[in-house]
Amino acid sequence: MSLPAAPETTAPDPVLAAERAHLRRAADCLAQMRVAASAVTDAGVDSWASERLGAARAERLAALAADPGVPPFFGRTDALPVDGAGETFHIGRRHVRDAAGDPVVIDWRAPMSRPFYQANAADPQGVARRRRFGFSGGELTGYEDELLAEPGSGHPGELLRAEIERPRSGPMRDIVATIQPDQDDIVRAPLADSICVQGAPGTGKTAVGLHRAAYLLYTHGGQLARTGVLVVGPNRAFLRYIEQVLPTLGEADVAQTTVAELTARVPVRAEDRPDVATLKGDARLAEVLRRALWGEIAKPVDDVLLPLAGRRYRVPVERLKRAVDDLRRRGRGTDDQQLLHYAAGRERLAMLLATDARRQKEEAGGSPSDGEVRRAARSPEVREFCDRVWPARDAAGLLLRLWTEPDRLARAARGILDDAEQALLRWPVPPRSVRTAPWTAADAVLADELAGLLERTPGHGHVVVDEAQDLSPMQCRAIARRLGAGSLTVLGDLAQGTSPWSPDDWARTLADLGRPDAGITPLTRGYRVPAEVLDFANRLLPVIAPGLTPATAVRSEPDALSLRPVPAFGGPLLEVVGALAAVAGSIGIVCADAAVAGVAGLLTGAGVDAAELTDDGTGAAAVAVVPATLAKGLEFDAVVVVDPAAIVAAEPRGLHRLYVVLTRAVSTLVVLHRDDLPAPLRGEAGQLV
């Protein structure tokens, strides 16, 4: 195995010199590709063609955009020789070709790149040599070879380990240079497959999900260009953390959002009590809402006279009743019959009346045109009938009536919710209007459910859902509506479930997401969290998730964990932050939400560049003060946990929250505690581990 290149004071390394030359060539070719894309001119065929050409050119330029800190390639494979010659492929984040169209760098997603991630000595997959490169500031500084055809070789070396362990400061980076075989299997799974990744902390599940999105867009670009890919995260802070991963992979147009943004049907200006929020997230509310909407439909009681082509035709009440009953049955849907949305049913009813009149006219020898039939369907007589029997509704207005009219709620909830549950949902003081109503985040999800019953929600070709273990059944249904006929990648960790709906297994969540048959793939090798930190946090697993296999770390850092009992937090916290600032990249101070303002004030008052991290991702500073409820999915080089007992006491699933908090550190975890640590984290006779 070749070691990283020696300092320049020694004899020049011809391999390193050749690779640097290829790096310069790849950079020049990529620049030429950008120039060629910019030079595409508009032939002036028509405005639509000009618009499409402009959009395609912008998309191409975005995919080729230069990133000064990202070299054109990060690896190379040398094929086993055939007739004395073997091909060489440089692997990078995007395809680079020369002026003649010959490949200079192969996109990491291309089939011929897969052996770079999967080959090993037992199964070299046609690869004789795998080469990894070391870079500093965009400059190629070293290389490392694995000779897969030689016995005893083929083991990852120092460059791979250094890249995996590299301290992380700022947003999440891509992991294309370090994807491991178990991760690669998930990334390259077929588009038709829906997958649930049960990933322990530090296993890279979020990065794997994002790289799967990039892989699918590369492999199925034509199909997904029409339907799109959607990434759903738990909050805006999380999305800010991951927002640069896909653009660095050349995919700049992927929608990244939260459930709150997806379901923003009403202005959220209030917050539910925990018991009310839990009830509103219950899957039973879906049937209550369905009944409330379709219960608006009345039975026809009279014939209808409607005009058609200068005459009036009577549609008997019995035929009207049959039409309404047939359409109402369609509102439930069956295995062989597509679900009918409420608004479409109203339009269908109007057309059925006009079609009945048309049939009568044709039986009398007439021949009305399609236009005359459509005008009859829009006539005041038909409109008045539909308003009376099948009234138009909007989601927010109907939900307002449901929460403020006890009789209406009682009819919709009969046999589903008991009296006490109905009382939790009712608003004691009716608001003046929909706009001034005290809507909550849970109400917004319910309004979205109603909107999905009223009209079809557009779907995506693939949806990636992160931190899915915390979703309520109603939130899952909101995501499922955006899925349509597409596939799903679910990312999460049952041990990190902190919401009232967090399950003990994935079956219910996958069913609520509309993909009950999705395969569950575990990731249990921790690449980012040191063994000392992970083993300490794993002591909570027998209590919070007894059925899960504990994750194992691939690296050990003897000084990674420090437990410090303190009588007060102020002085020790400043001392620890001062020491970490000299050696750590990013620093996160994690504490109970109620303590965030006090901790931030203490730090800033002592002259530390610190700021509170907020839900929208703002609060950038050298030291981030992180509410425990926002820590999930984030990662810092060094983490200081302040008062773990307060974190546990702040919520019913406090031990789950503490498990999340303890596993955010890449290099160093310091725990400052005044009270006893939770029992699972203590050794025998209450001694600290």
Side-chain angles (χ1 to χ4, degrees):
M1 180 174 69
S2 300
L3 296 176
E8 292 295 341
T9 54
T10 63
D13 184 334
V15 174
L16 188 61
E19 295 293 5
R20 285 173 171 169
H22 193 81
L23 185 70
R24 291 192 295 271
R25 181 184 177 220
D28 291 342
C29 290
L30 186 59
Q32 292 169 11
M33 291 171 66
R34 286 195 291 271
V35 170
S38 300
V40 175
T41 57
D42 186 355
V45 176
D46 55 45
S47 59
W48 183 86
S50 297
E51 180 182 347
R52 295 307 307 149
L53 177 63
R57 182 169 51 208
E59 182 178 345
R60 178 63 173 161
L61 287 171
L64 295 172
D67 188 337
V70 179
F73 60 79
F74 51 78
R76 166 179 148 174
T77 57
D78 295 358
L80 289 168
V82 177
D83 297 330
E87 289 186 291
T88 295
F89 301 106
H90 284 78
I91 314 298
R93 288 166 177 80
R94 64 201 70 188
H95 182 78
V96 180
R97 63 176 184 273
D98 61 17
D102 294 325
V104 177
V105 178
I106 304 299
D107 193 296
W108 68 276
R109 297 165 287 188
M112 64 182 63
S113 297
R114 188 167 196 185
F116 178 79
Y117 300 105
Q118 292 283 350
N120 55 54
D123 180 19
Q125 300 187 18
V127 175
R129 181 201 317 268
R130 173 168 46 216
R131 176 170 291 167
R132 301 181 189 275
F133 299 101
F135 294 90
S136 177
E139 292 294 322
L140 200 163
T141 57
Y143 65 93
E144 192 172 66
D145 287 341
E146 297 172 61
L147 304 177
L148 302 182
E150 295 184 5
S153 185
H155 298 291
E158 291 299 324
L159 285 179
L160 174 61
R161 184 159 51 249
E163 175 61 22
I164 290 176
E165 299 174 7
R166 181 156 53 108
R168 186 173 286 170
S169 180
M172 176 185 283
R173 300 188 302 262
D174 67 65
I175 61 168
V176 288
T178 62
I179 294 175
Q180 299 301 292
D182 55 343
Q183 298 172 328
D184 189 63
D185 289 337
I186 298 170
V187 168
R188 297 176 190 266
L191 174 61
D193 291 358
S194 288
I195 299 173
C196 175
V197 180
Q198 163 55 45
T203 57
K205 59 181 176 295
T206 296
V208 166
L210 295 174
H211 286 65
R212 173 159 166 73
Y215 171 78
L216 293 177
L217 284 163
Y218 174 87
T219 309
H220 305 278
Q223 178 179 346
L224 292 177
R226 297 189 301 271
T227 56
V229 171
L230 177 67
V231 175
V232 182
N235 52 56
R236 181 49 57 180
F238 175 84
L239 292 181
R240 283 183 181 271
Y241 178 59
I242 69 170
E243 65 184 355
Q244 293 304 314
V245 174
L246 286 168
T248 62
L249 299 175
E251 303 297 345
D253 294 329
V254 176
Q256 300 186 36
T257 188
T258 65
V259 174
E261 292 167 343
L262 275 182
T263 60
R265 302 282 184 174
V266 294
V268 175
R269 52 171 54 93
E271 186 174 343
D272 284 313
R273 296 199 326 259
D275 53 348
V276 178
T278 301
L279 177 58
K280 288 181 178 178
D282 196 305
R284 293 177 296 162
L285 268 293
E287 177 60 16
V288 172
L289 297 179
R290 193 203 66 79
R291 287 186 185 180
L293 175 62
W294 289 86
E296 298 279 294
I297 299 171
K299 286 188 176 182
V301 294
D302 292 311
D303 300 347
V304 172
L305 285 172
L306 70 154
L308 176 64
R311 291 193 58 184
R312 297 173 69 83
Y313 293 87
R314 181 183 300 275
V315 181
V317 66
E318 292 304 319
R319 286 212 290 269
L320 295 173
K321 288 180 180 179
R322 285 198 298 272
V324 170
D325 288 345
D326 289 344
L327 291 173
R328 287 188 65 170
R329 281 193 292 271
R330 290 283 308 278
R332 281 191 173 275
T334 62
D335 292 339
D336 59 352
Q337 193 175 55
Q338 187 177 1
L339 177 71
L340 179 70
H341 291 85
Y342 183 91
R346 176 182 161 91
E347 295 177 3
R348 189 78 57 86
L349 179 61
M351 186 56 68
L352 285 175
L353 266 67
T355 301
D356 192 289
R358 177 181 196 163
R359 179 186 56 77
Q360 294 181 47
K361 186 172 182 65
E362 288 175 343
E363 289 177 350
S367 182
S369 67
D370 291 342
E372 289 172 326
V373 174
R374 286 194 293 270
R375 284 193 292 275
R378 296 193 298 268
S379 67
E381 291 83 354
V382 172
R383 204 161 48 240
E384 188 275 334
F385 169 78
C386 289
D387 288 343
R388 186 173 64 252
V389 172
W390 199 296
R393 290 287 178 250
D394 70 277
L398 181 55
L399 192 61
L400 176 64
R401 296 173 67 184
L402 200 60
W403 288 173
T404 57
E405 299 177 19
D407 291 344
R408 183 181 296 274
L409 177 59
R411 288 194 300 271
R414 183 177 295 114
I416 301 175
L417 304 178
D418 60 30
D419 292 343
E421 289 173 321
Q422 293 178 38
L424 287 177
L425 297 174
R426 289 196 294 266
W427 287 347
V429 180
R432 292 191 302 271
S433 68
V434 168
R435 295 182 62 184
T436 62
W439 299 114
T440 66
D443 289 326
V445 176
L446 297 177
D448 188 74
E449 177 80 18
L450 280 169
L453 293 171
L454 285 164
E455 297 182 356
R456 187 182 70 85
T457 304
H460 293 77
H462 191 79
V463 177
V464 179
V465 188
D466 208 346
E467 303 299 346
Q469 75 280 347
D470 284 336
L471 295 172
S472 74
M474 295 305 297
Q475 289 173 325
C476 288
R477 290 176 61 88
I479 294 170
R481 281 191 293 281
R482 273 76 182 177
L483 186 57
S487 55
L488 186 67
T489 297
V490 180
L491 310 169
D493 180 12
L494 296 175
Q496 298 184 55
T498 54
S499 79
W501 313 282
S502 297
D504 295 327
D505 62 58
W506 285 107
R508 191 194 72 191
T509 299
L510 294 175
D512 290 334
L513 286 167
R515 296 295 181 270
D517 297 327
I520 301 174
T521 302
L523 289 178
T524 58
R525 296 183 66 199
Y527 299 101
R528 299 291 292 173
V529 183
E532 290 74 11
V533 173
L534 193 56
D535 291 345
F536 179 65
N538 281 346
R539 289 176 173 268
L540 294 172
L541 288 182
V543 177
I544 64 175
L548 286 186
T549 301
T552 57
V554 299
R555 65 189 179 97
S556 176
E557 296 285 348
D559 298 325
L561 176 64
S562 175
L563 306 177
R564 295 187 57 176
V566 295
F569 296 112
L573 177 59
L574 292 173
E575 176 190 338
V576 169
V577 171
L580 290 174
V583 296
S586 57
I587 301 174
I589 312 299
V590 189
C591 55
D593 291 28
V596 167
V599 170
L602 171 69
L603 293 170
T604 56
V608 178
D609 179 17
E612 300 178 31
L613 185 72
T614 61
D615 182 70
D616 62 1
T618 58
V623 177
V625 182
V626 184
T629 57
L630 286 185
K632 194 171 297 180
L634 304 181
E635 191 176 82
F636 301 90
D637 183 34
V639 170
V640 182
V641 178
V642 179
D643 199 0
I647 294 174
V648 173
E651 55 187 307
R653 294 175 69 90
L655 282 177
H656 293 76
R657 183 74 67 188
L658 182 58
Y659 178 78
V660 173
V661 168
L662 293 175
T663 53
R664 301 304 96 199
V666 172
S667 299
T668 304
L669 173 66
V670 179
V671 180
L672 300 179
H673 63 98
R674 184 168 49 199
D675 301 321
D676 283 342
L677 289 170
L681 297 180
R682 284 180 262 138
E684 293 182 5
Q687 297 300 308
L688 295 180
V689 296

